[in-house]
Amino acid sequence: MSDAPTQTPADGYAETPELHERIDRIGFGLVGGATVMFFLGFVFAYFYLRSLDNNSLWRPAGVEPPDGYGIAIAAALALSAAAFGYAARVAKRGESGWVAASGLALVLGLFACVAQCFEYAHIPFGPESGGYASVFFGWTALYVVVTLIALWRVETIFAVGLRHHGEVGAAVPEGFVPGATYWALLAAIGVLAWVVLYLL
Amino acid sequence: MSSEALARPLWRRLIGFNLLGGIVLGVAGFYFGWWLGHQIHAESLDFFGDTNQNDVALMLGYVFSVVGFLIGLGFARYPLARMLGKERTHTENEHGGSGRYFGLCTDHKVVGVQYLCGIGLFFFIGGLNAMLIRAELLQPSPQIFGAGNYLTLVGLHGTMMMGIMTSGVLGPFANYFVPLMIGARRMAFPRVEAITFWLLMAAGAILMTTLFFGGFPTGWTGYAPLNDQANFGFDSYIFFFALVGLSMMLLGLNMIATIITMRAPGLTWSRLPIFCWGAISTSILMVLAAPVLIAALLMVGFDRAVQTSFFLSSAGGSPYLFQNLFWFFGHPEVYVLALPGFGIILEILPVFARKPLWGYRIAVAGILGVALLSFFVWQHHLFVSGLNSSLRPFYMFSTEAISVPTGLVFLAGMATLWRAKIRYTVPMLFCLAWFFNFFIGGASGVFLSDVPSDVATHGSFFVMAHFHYTIMGGLIFAFFAAIYYWVPKMFGVMLSERLGKIHFWAMFIAFNSTFAPLFALGLMGQPRRVVTYPSHLEPLNIWVSVSAFVLGASMLVFLANVVYSLVFVRKPAPDNPWDSRSLEWQTPTPVPIENFERRPIIDTDPYDYGVPPVPLVPPGPAEAPAPG
């Protein structure tokens, strides 16, 4: 892997942090759009199958996910997004504390994924139990996958902080704010999943 | 690769992160996933004669093979380095020899060439399938393959073409030329650019493995409930299209971010080359439509592997759900194929017409209009599937409305040609043929958007003729126009004009001779994907098959041209052989790694033919006149 820059300031090709920030902002915005469209497929499936209720098997009796897990997962995601958003704002202001906050966001995100896996082990129905069960398992399982991929980004921010011992104003990772915005969007989708799958 | 690395013996250079490493780890990953799947889901562990239809094993095999392939190519190193807190870098493996083309390389020009070769390979495999299909249809009853294998063949041809060719223009040409056209040194996300190509190659290889697992009977659309009933060769379809979707999405994302953020000073939106508008509008469709396809395919995967029932009416699901999700992607995908063609044609026309592009803003509005409307038409594919009849008028109208922005693109092209001094080069011939073909494809599309005529022709060869006129007549002719136009810049050698013209005329005549009769066959009732047909349709089918073979032979002329020009003759291409004013032609040939010596400042439109040229690169200190 080469770290050598191919551009020099003299030729007008110098890449500023502002340019990188803009690229990240647009990149995360587009990934956010794609993520929304991806989960929109499951939202559509939920309402479409619910409205059809083929053979009265949309949601047979007994297909009820445990409320406690749903609340715990949604809360962990919301808190994780809040922590990461706080970390990004603090880092942007050049103040300390962002490393700990991003570490907290990472732990809470991982907790949400682990809790989801625990829920599968204790859920009173299986994926074959009708339309609702299909949407439940499909949506939540893929949400865990997407969340784990996004947590990579949270971890890299945290790792940069650890590597530089959280020095104030030093080595604040690029793309922090856009990353935090995306993480908030993903958490919002997680909370939406809780509303749709547990409350409606 | 450094000179020290180049000095090593070949066997030593083969060991490392490259294609060979990718294949080795990909195969190892497949068998690991296969083994793991059997541990999870079944008791048998029969690697070569599995009869358990163990979808879990096959799916895990595909997952781990893709992961292994990417690790072997070197894609895991950077993410792991970032996880250790190392700084961001944008370049990898950009310097060196031909080894760059067989692994992870972040130079957009290398990726463009990789795409051109990789897509070309799968395009020829897909084309070979078409030849086999037409060989089978030489007679009204099954002769060569039988009904089941024929369906797999049709499915492989359609899936390969519709999947791989989604990146047929953006992959090679946009990756290579968009940064040059906008005066940038790199794409916004160079590693993402590289991974899109290798994902596509992994997808193509996975699709081919369906032959080892019984093929799939669904055609390229993969409809439910057949997709649930199909044997486990269908899993390769799922993974193929999911990987293609992922690749498309990342490619589109990268393209949009690049065009928005990396333009040279002075390159305003109203000066952006029209090809870039084609690329950006296609990319928007890719980013927004492909995720829905991925979601739909993963639902199919869940239905097959863990017994969910998204698409099973008997268990609370609905096959119509798949149709809706698939076509929400599928119809925009048609424009993913068509819009880059619009961009290429409008980019090339002014060069050989020696006139400014007429109605630049109108053309841009047309391209964006098509992209926007393409999201509101998908249910015309469901006209005969039990769609609520009150929805039909809306989708009929929205589909017909697409002809308006498409007409704007035609208008811009035609007006550019008006009273022009046309140079009939090979790229220009392909452009002109595009107008002819796409007009027939578009006009026949109006019949299919109309409910009464669609009900009569749905599922027939008429539909097949229509989409081959739009996709092959549109995209593939534009694709070849782009090859003849840009290959001199990509490879530094000119393709033979003489062989190119033979290729063009053979392809153009054979194409029309192949697909125009299909309209008649469709109207006479020959259905798609059925190996038998009434005997009175045999003469016309023989005509079509022979024409198709000539069409296939025309591709051999193209291959001969490539070998003759690039290997034997190697006539050096000048920096700007077509006298184009576009920025990519102002660079030296071959294009240096850094693209431009200095960042260009744009103060002219790209199509100002007839206007005296203005220097695109301001003089630097070395060239500045001495004071006094």
Side-chain angles (χ1 to χ4, degrees):
Chain A
M1 195 185 306
S2 165
D3 287 350
T6 56
Q7 62 276 350
T8 58
D11 63 4
Y13 265 109
E15 294 190 357
T16 60
E18 289 74 27
L19 173 67
H20 291 166
E21 192 75 13
R22 190 158 177 246
I23 291 172
D24 282 330
R25 199 168 61 241
I26 289 165
F28 274 113
L30 291 166
V31 173
T35 308
V36 167
M37 294 304 289
F38 179 76
F39 286 107
L40 210 55
F42 288 91
V43 175
F44 179 78
Y46 178 92
F47 288 105
Y48 190 78
L49 297 182
R50 180 177 165 149
S51 67
L52 289 177
D53 194 13
N54 275 333
N55 290 307
S56 303
L57 283 173
W58 157 247
R59 193 167 182 173
V63 177
E64 292 292 337
D67 285 335
Y69 279 107
I71 293 169
I73 292 165
L77 290 168
L79 288 173
S80 176
F84 203 50
Y86 169 78
R89 277 199 303 278
V90 168
K92 197 176 178 184
R93 289 200 298 262
E95 298 168 5
S96 62
W98 62 267
V99 180
S102 49
L104 178 64
L106 179 64
V107 169
L108 286 168
L110 284 172
F111 169 79
C113 295
V114 171
Q116 185 62 68
C117 295
F118 266 95
E119 183 180 25
Y120 291 146
H122 297 98
I123 206 160
F125 59 90
E128 74 289 350
S129 309
Y132 169 85
S134 302
V135 177
F136 180 87
F137 277 94
W139 187 344
T140 54
L142 292 172
Y143 184 80
V144 168
V145 173
V146 174
T147 301
L148 286 172
I149 294 169
L151 276 174
W152 169 80
R153 180 70 182 142
V154 179
E155 197 280 339
T156 60
I157 301 268
F158 179 58
V160 169
L162 285 185
R163 197 175 179 86
H164 295 278
H165 310 293
E167 295 164 31
V168 178
V172 174
E174 288 177 349
F176 204 158
V177 174
T181 309
Y182 177 76
W183 186 239
L185 172 75
L186 197 57
I189 292 172
V191 173
L192 174 73
W194 172 65
V195 171
V196 171
L197 296 173
Y198 291 82
L199 302 184
L200 290 186
Chain B
M1 202 185 297
S2 65
S3 55
E4 185 184 326
L6 284 169
R8 289 187 205 137
L10 180 64
W11 69 269
R12 179 64 189 83
R13 279 153 57 193
L14 288 175
I15 297 171
F17 292 110
N18 55 29
L19 180 57
L20 185 64
I23 290 171
V24 169
L25 286 188
V27 171
F30 177 83
Y31 280 107
F32 172 73
W34 182 266
W35 170 82
L36 187 65
H38 280 87
Q39 296 301 307
I40 292 170
H41 195 255
E43 292 173 0
S44 83
L45 189 62
D46 181 356
F47 286 93
F48 300 106
D50 190 281
T51 54
N52 281 340
Q53 295 287 300
N54 191 335
D55 293 290
V56 174
L58 189 54
M59 288 184 187
L60 285 177
Y62 285 144
V63 168
F64 282 101
S65 77
V66 173
V67 171
F69 181 61
L70 294 177
I71 290 173
L73 283 164
F75 280 99
R77 287 183 299 168
Y78 180 69
L80 290 175
R82 294 298 310 279
M83 287 183 79
L84 296 173
K86 295 192 176 169
E87 293 301 319
R88 174 186 286 193
T89 63
H90 297 293
T91 59
E92 198 162 336
N93 200 24
E94 288 193 353
H95 296 265
S98 55
R100 291 177 300 162
Y101 294 91
F102 298 96
L104 161 60
C105 176
T106 50
D107 184 348
H108 66 95
K109 300 178 288 296
V110 171
V111 177
V113 172
Q114 286 175 330
Y115 258 110
L116 189 60
C117 298
I119 281 180
L121 173 71
F122 286 113
F123 176 69
F124 274 90
I125 293 173
L128 189 63
N129 288 333
M131 298 299 103
L132 296 175
I133 290 167
R134 286 317 312 180
E136 176 63 68
L137 292 177
L138 277 167
Q139 290 182 301
S141 54
Q143 300 294 324
I144 308 172
F145 304 109
N149 289 338
Y150 175 79
L151 268 178
T152 292
L153 206 52
V154 170
L156 266 177
H157 166 72
T159 310
M160 185 74 80
M161 291 301 198
M162 293 300 285
I164 295 283
M165 290 311 285
T166 48
S167 305
V169 169
L170 256 55
F173 302 116
N175 271 321
Y176 198 107
F177 289 105
V178 162
L180 294 174
M181 285 177 161
I182 64 174
R185 276 208 171 148
R186 65 174 176 94
M187 297 289 283
F189 302 106
R191 283 185 186 80
V192 170
E193 181 190 25
I195 204 171
T196 61
F197 166 73
W198 290 109
L199 282 174
L200 202 65
M201 293 304 102
I206 282 175
L207 184 67
M208 296 306 294
T209 63
T210 192
L211 296 172
F212 302 113
F213 302 110
F216 57 93
T218 61
W220 84 276
T221 49
Y223 268 14
L226 200 51
N227 61 22
D228 194 54
Q229 298 158 355
N231 60 33
F232 74 163
F234 189 80
D235 295 335
S236 65
Y237 169 95
I238 296 173
F239 272 82
F240 167 79
F241 249 132
L243 288 174
V244 166
L246 184 61
S247 171
M248 279 168 65
M249 189 186 83
L250 296 173
L251 173 60
L253 179 157
N254 199 12
M255 203 60 67
I256 296 171
T258 302
I259 294 174
I260 291 177
T261 59
M262 310 288 278
R263 281 171 292 135
L267 187 59
T268 58
W269 287 106
S270 60
R271 286 178 177 162
L272 194 65
I274 198 83
F275 177 69
C276 296
W277 280 109
I280 204 168
S281 54
T282 307
S283 300
I284 292 167
L285 298 186
M286 286 172 152
V287 170
L288 296 181
V292 180
L293 170 77
I294 299 171
L297 291 167
L298 292 174
M299 288 179 200
V300 180
F302 282 130
D303 272 9
R304 291 171 62 83
V306 296
Q307 313 307 314
T308 55
S309 52
F310 283 102
F311 308 121
L312 295 177
S313 296
S314 58
S318 170
Y320 294 122
L321 173 63
F322 183 81
Q323 293 190 26
N324 277 293
L325 292 173
F326 181 84
W327 286 113
F328 184 82
F329 153 81
H331 203 83
E333 194 213 3
V334 173
Y335 294 99
V336 165
L337 296 165
L339 287 172
F342 290 9
I344 287 173
I345 299 302
L346 295 179
E347 184 69 36
I348 294 177
L349 276 183
V351 177
F352 297 107
R354 308 312 295 168
K355 276 179 65 186
L357 178 66
W358 187 90
Y360 172 90
R361 285 165 199 264
I362 290 173
V364 171
I367 288 172
L368 294 178
V370 169
L372 179 69
L373 275 176
S374 71
F375 280 111
F376 299 97
V377 300
W378 85 92
Q379 289 220 348
H380 69 227
H381 294 276
L382 281 67
F383 277 158
V384 296
S385 298
L387 169 72
N388 187 334
S389 58
S390 60
L391 287 172
R392 284 172 161 180
F394 171 77
Y395 286 100
M396 184 170 84
F397 176 75
S398 62
T399 307
E400 288 174 350
I402 271 199
S403 58
V404 176
T406 310
L408 296 180
V409 174
F410 259 72
L411 177 68
M414 291 286 124
T416 303
L417 292 173
W418 182 252
R419 292 185 174 174
K421 292 174 183 170
I422 299 173
R423 289 188 293 177
Y424 291 98
T425 58
V426 178
M428 188 61 168
L429 291 174
F430 275 101
C431 288
L432 297 175
W434 178 91
F435 281 100
F436 180 83
N437 298 335
F438 203 79
F439 175 76
I440 294 175
S444 58
V446 176
F447 291 92
L448 294 171
S449 65
D450 219 41
V451 175
S453 51
D454 180 71
V455 169
T457 52
H458 187 91
S460 75
F461 267 36
F462 187 93
V463 180
M464 213 173 77
H466 156 71
F467 70 70
H468 277 89
Y469 261 100
T470 52
I471 294 170
M472 185 164 184
L475 174 75
I476 303 300
F477 274 73
F479 178 68
F480 278 112
I483 286 179
Y484 282 101
Y485 181 66
W486 276 315
V487 153
K489 181 58 72 180
M490 294 174 88
F491 295 96
V493 291
M494 299 296 290
L495 288 170
S496 160
E497 276 283 297
R498 184 183 167 83
L499 281 173
K501 284 183 178 171
I502 294 170
H503 168 219
F504 166 75
W505 284 111
M507 183 175 164
F508 179 66
I509 293 167
F511 168 78
N512 281 284
S513 180
T514 302
F515 293 105
L518 295 188
F519 287 117
L521 282 170
L523 290 173
M524 286 190 274
Q526 184 167 345
R528 297 166 65 187
R529 297 173 185 161
V530 179
V531 70
T532 58
Y533 56 84
S535 56
H536 70 276
L537 299 179
E538 188 175 5
L540 208 45
N541 268 291
I542 291 174
W543 175 275
V544 171
S545 290
V546 172
S547 301
F549 299 147
V550 176
L551 183 58
S554 74
M555 299 299 159
L556 298 181
V557 177
F558 167 72
L559 271 186
N561 192 358
V562 169
V563 174
Y564 173 75
S565 304
L566 267 61
V567 178
F568 293 108
V569 178
R570 294 200 61 81
K571 179 184 172 188
D575 288 347
N576 189 358
W578 314 115
D579 296 322
S580 169
R581 293 181 58 89
S582 190
L583 196 52
E584 80 272 23
W585 292 104
Q586 315 311 318
T587 57
T589 301
V591 184
I593 287 176
E594 63 278 9
N595 291 349
F596 300 93
E597 193 181 339
R598 294 174 187 284
R599 185 163 216 188
I601 297 171
I602 314 297
D603 55 6
T604 61
D605 289 341
Y607 308 110
D608 277 348
Y609 292 98
V611 178
V614 176
L616 290 160
V617 182
E623 304 93 50

